[in-house]
Amino acid sequence: MEMTEQTAAVQRMQDYIRCWAGSDEFSLEGMYAAAGYSRRHADRLFKELLGQTPREYLQAVLLTQGAARLRDTRDPVLDIALDSRFASHEGFTRAFESRFSVAPSRYRRSPSPIPLFVQYPIRDYQALIRRKEECQMSEEIKMCTVTVQERPRRKLLYLCSKKGEDYLSFCEEMGCEWEGLLNSIPEKMDTAALLELPPQLVKEGCSNIAVGVELPLDYCGEVPAGYALAQLPAGSLFYFQSEPYEREEDFCLAIESVQRAVERYRPEPFGYRFAPESGPSFNFGAEQETGARLAVPAVKL
């Protein structure tokens, strides 16, 4: 089979899990039927492209859904366990603690940052690889809105890389659990993002590429191992956002379009200048329904 066929088969399995994992309608037979291949062949493709079996992937999805219910509802743990396809409270507790290093009861009492599982579509990963290899744009998503937000003094929880240059190289070096972990923090002011750090936040021996999330100034929660917590001054952020896009595989185009808009934009006529030395820039990625979004620090002239 060609690589595109392998990707499509695994993507259909991911789509099935995304739609039905938390529903009584889910079945393993339905998932393998969506793949269009035998169970053995589909398992091999899935493990080859995503690094884990469909059952391991499904359990990660269900445990993450269970963590959200523990944090946001008062549903009994047994109900959450059964809805997560565990036969008992004890089985759910063992799996939850193995994945997140905290017991469900303790997490409910005091939600701490945990690496929630993010379902990265294999289609998008392959598209990123192809775009990096092509290094050119055959088309462009042109509409981009620009808004200015005044941000108060706040904190930045961030994870540095040694030699990261972009999203792919960062994840290859540091893994991809950062997004689920950072977005699990209830106090976050915005979603987790890829960062370009100013010199004062770059650790010795690290690159200026990091990931992080903004938190209120009074945040006193846990700092995960390897992460740093810094204070950011009050200041302005220029938010650039593309229009939504119809095809999921166009998310790379959306991000590139916003990056080009940032390069071309001149804030001086509006009384500002870009100030990368004053704070981090944020790349929030792209969603089909909302488009791509970046934020760049600026100061008033």
Side-chain angles (χ1 to χ4, degrees):
M1 285 193 306
E2 296 295 329
M3 186 62 177
T4 53
E5 295 176 5
Q6 295 176 338
T7 299
V10 172
Q11 185 63 59
R12 288 193 295 271
M13 296 172 74
Q14 284 188 289
D15 291 342
Y16 184 89
I17 292 172
R18 180 177 288 105
C19 289
W20 302 108
S23 167
D24 292 338
E25 302 298 320
F26 178 87
S27 69
L28 291 175
E29 292 76 13
M31 180 184 69
Y32 288 116
Y37 295 99
S38 69
R39 176 177 297 209
R40 181 179 178 182
H41 196 48
D43 280 348
R44 183 182 65 80
L45 288 178
F46 201 96
K47 179 70 179 288
E48 181 181 312
L49 294 182
L50 294 179
Q52 56 189 321
T53 68
R55 288 177 180 268
E56 291 169 339
Y57 186 98
L58 174 63
Q59 184 178 93
V61 170
L62 293 172
L63 287 172
T64 289
Q65 292 176 355
R69 288 177 64 183
L70 287 168
R71 184 190 64 205
D72 300 335
T73 76
R74 304 310 302 171
D75 295 345
V77 176
L78 179 58
D79 288 353
I80 297 174
L82 296 176
D83 291 343
S84 301
R85 305 186 185 279
F86 286 88
S88 66
H89 180 295
E90 291 75 17
F92 174 76
T93 296
R94 285 194 297 271
F96 192 96
E97 191 163 3
S98 175
R99 181 163 193 89
F100 299 128
S101 300
V102 62
S105 57
R106 181 180 173 189
Y107 180 71
R108 166 163 275 174
R109 288 195 305 270
S110 179
S112 55
I114 58 174
L116 298 178
F117 183 68
V118 179
Q119 300 181 62
Y120 295 105
I122 186 63
R123 177 197 303 117
D124 291 357
Y125 179 77
Q126 295 294 337
L128 270 176
I129 295 293
R130 288 195 301 271
R131 294 299 296 177
K132 191 171 183 179
E133 291 173 348
E134 291 169 2
C135 295
Q136 61 184 5
M137 293 180 63
S138 59
E139 53 182 316
E140 187 174 350
I141 297 172
K142 296 182 178 179
M143 180 67 70
C144 185
T145 61
V146 184
T147 58
V148 184
Q149 287 190 14
E150 299 303 322
R151 302 297 266 173
R153 291 175 60 208
R154 60 213 187 276
K155 290 180 178 177
L156 180 74
L157 180 63
Y158 66 106
L159 175 66
C160 293
S161 65
K162 298 293 184 183
K163 49 188 177 182
E165 298 178 350
D166 52 24
Y167 177 86
L168 279 177
S169 59
F170 182 93
C171 288
E172 287 169 358
E173 178 187 344
M174 306 300 293
C176 291
E177 289 190 338
W178 59 270
E179 186 172 358
L181 186 149
L182 293 173
N183 283 329
S184 76
I185 302 175
E187 298 92 338
K188 65 182 183 296
M189 298 171 67
D190 208 328
T191 55
L194 185 73
L195 309 176
E196 288 189 31
L197 297 174
Q200 66 269 23
L201 293 182
V202 177
K203 295 182 178 181
E204 185 176 355
C206 293
S207 79
N208 70 329
I209 299 300
V211 295
V213 68
E214 294 173 288
L215 300 168
L217 191 62
D218 61 358
Y219 177 78
C220 297
E222 179 182 339
V223 177
Y227 284 73
L229 193 63
Q231 285 197 21
L232 297 179
S236 305
L237 282 177
F238 271 67
Y239 283 80
F240 293 78
Q241 184 160 353
S242 79
E243 60 187 326
Y245 47 94
E246 294 184 2
R247 301 182 305 168
E248 289 188 4
E249 56 267 30
D250 283 344
F251 82 105
C252 291
L253 287 172
I255 293 173
E256 290 174 0
S257 179
V258 176
Q259 290 172 334
R260 287 194 171 195
V262 172
E263 293 170 0
R264 296 169 179 168
Y265 190 83
R266 295 294 174 263
E268 287 79 7
F270 304 98
Y272 291 87
R273 69 169 178 84
F274 289 144
E277 75 283 354
S278 68
S281 296
F282 300 82
N283 183 340
F284 298 99
E287 295 288 343
Q288 190 175 358
E289 297 80 8
T290 57
R293 188 164 60 104
L294 276 69
V296 181
V299 296
K300 294 181 178 180
L301 296 174

